[in-house]
Amino acid sequence: MSTVVVTGAVSGIGRGIALGAAARGRHVALLDIDERALEDAAAAILDAGAASALPLVCDVSDEHEVDAAFGAIVDRMPVISGVVANAGIEVSEPLADASVESWERVMAVNLRGTFLTSRAAVGYWRDQRSGGSLVCISSPSAFVGFAGGGNTAYGASKGGISAFVRAAALDAAPDGVRVNAVVPGATDTDILYFGLEGEALSARRAELEDAAKRQIPLGRMARPEEIADAVLWLLSEESAYVTGTHLVCDGGLLAKSANTF
Ligand SMILES: NC(=O)c1ccc[n+]([C@@H]2O[C@H](COP(=O)([O-])OP(=O)(O)OC[C@H]3O[C@@H](n4cnc5c(N)ncnc54)[C@H](O)[C@@H]3O)[C@@H](O)[C@H]2O)c1
């Protein structure tokens, strides 16, 4: 059995992908900045059926940490067949008030993190001559503005990831490596709750569920495991002829215009 590497693996969509890979009996390397949660996540991945689990503290925005994490995986796990550049953050600030610090942090984690993770993966597969599948995580905000606003840095980072995926797929194809993006719609994970707790968290959840009912054609947010299923298909041989493209998994959001004409 081969190894699947997931960044941002302790929470939300990344955790769903890691659990899905575990249920398929794979070896799973979990990379995340959240050191405290990593051991628990690794235990859950083993419970779910993973052949083995390797938790690694890694800030994906740091070149040396990403390269060191891949070095540790190569030393300690079987051949890597799939990598998911999933780690991401969101900061919501209207443009006129947006800070340079927020812009740079969002770009560093989302865009540079995707680049560094992808570079390590594609370089490994070129050297191994084994082929592989890389999945990056984009967003509807790569294609449309969010009506709620405050989304310039996040949208720009995800637009960058979508362009990156097309270019990376061309570079990697001669080595038998596929590169694709999944576009999750609103998915019920911590990123939507901005660290809220208690009543504020309940109120935000109720607001999101109501908005989903009204605005998403399928009438609800996605569950992380539904996004994970799309990613796992792109990691599998069932998608062997798919590269350089996007798998939109958004309940119909991008298919819809608010225009009622
Ligand atoms: N939830 C949604 O509605 C939604 C929609 C579209 C795209 N996405 C994207 O899906 C991906 C996963 O997000 P999620 O919704 O599961 O959110 P989440 O907040 O539940 O999970 C993000 C994970 O990334 C980790 N992380 C953050 N910064 C990191 C860093 N510098 N290095 C390593 N790990 C880091 C966090 O610790 C966490 O485990 C992100 O790229 C996000 O932009 C989410």
Side-chain angles (χ1 to χ4, degrees), residues 70-162:
F70 270 80
I73 298 164
V74 170
D75 284 348
R76 293 159 65 181
M77 304 286 269
V79 62
I80 301 169
S81 59
V83 173
V84 189
N86 163 78
I89 58 170
E90 181 169 9
V91 174
S92 183
E93 290 173 344
L95 179 56
D97 303 322
S99 71
V100 171
E101 290 74 20
S102 298
W103 174 273
E104 292 196 335
R105 189 67 197 144
V106 169
M107 288 298 164
V109 176
N110 296 4
L111 192 52
R112 190 194 320 152
T114 295
F115 156 65
L116 292 173
T117 305
S118 303
R119 186 179 68 173
V122 168
Y124 165 84
W125 285 318
R126 182 199 55 201
D127 296 346
Q128 291 283 312
R129 301 175 187 277
S130 60
S133 174
L134 168 69
V135 179
C136 302
I137 305 296
S138 187
S139 157
S141 65
F143 307 100
V144 295
F146 285 167
N151 207 239
T152 50
Y154 185 78
S157 73
K158 293 298 182 177
I161 288 171
S162 284

Side-chain angles (χ1 to χ4, degrees), residues 7-17 31-35 37 56-62 65-66 85-90 105 108-110 113-114 136-141 146 154 157-158 161 182-192 221-222 224 227:
T7 71
V10 308
S11 169
I13 293 170
R15 189 184 181 93
I17 298 163
L31 277 54
D32 207 288
I33 201 169
D34 186 346
E35 186 170 1
L56 293 167
V57 181
C58 174
D59 179 344
V60 295
S61 69
D62 185 303
E65 291 193 24
V66 172
N86 163 78
I89 58 170
E90 181 169 9
R105 189 67 197 144
V109 176
N110 296 4
T114 295
C136 302
I137 305 296
S138 187
S139 157
S141 65
F146 285 167
Y154 185 78
S157 73
K158 293 298 182 177
I161 288 171
V182 163
V183 181
T187 307
D188 196 359
T189 72
D190 290 352
I191 207 170
L192 300 182
M221 288 188 278
I227 308 303

Side-chain angles (χ1 to χ4, degrees), residues 69 88 245:
T245 194

Side-chain angles (χ1 to χ4, degrees), residues 154-240:
Y154 185 78
S157 73
K158 293 298 182 177
I161 288 171
S162 284
F164 171 85
V165 159
R166 287 184 285 268
L170 302 184
D171 279 3
D175 295 316
V177 175
R178 298 185 295 112
V179 184
N180 292 288
V182 163
V183 181
T187 307
D188 196 359
T189 72
D190 290 352
I191 207 170
L192 300 182
Y193 298 110
F194 304 115
L196 296 171
E197 291 177 359
E199 278 181 24
L201 173 62
S202 307
R204 169 84 176 152
R205 176 164 280 128
E207 182 195 324
L208 287 177
E209 282 172 357
D210 181 55
K213 204 172 284 177
R214 286 182 289 106
Q215 295 174 21
I216 297 174
L218 287 183
R220 63 174 177 83
M221 288 188 278
R223 297 187 299 276
E225 55 271 28
E226 293 175 310
I227 308 303
D229 283 342
V231 172
L232 289 159
W233 180 75
L234 285 170
L235 293 181
S236 79
E237 280 305 302
E238 288 176 25
S239 59

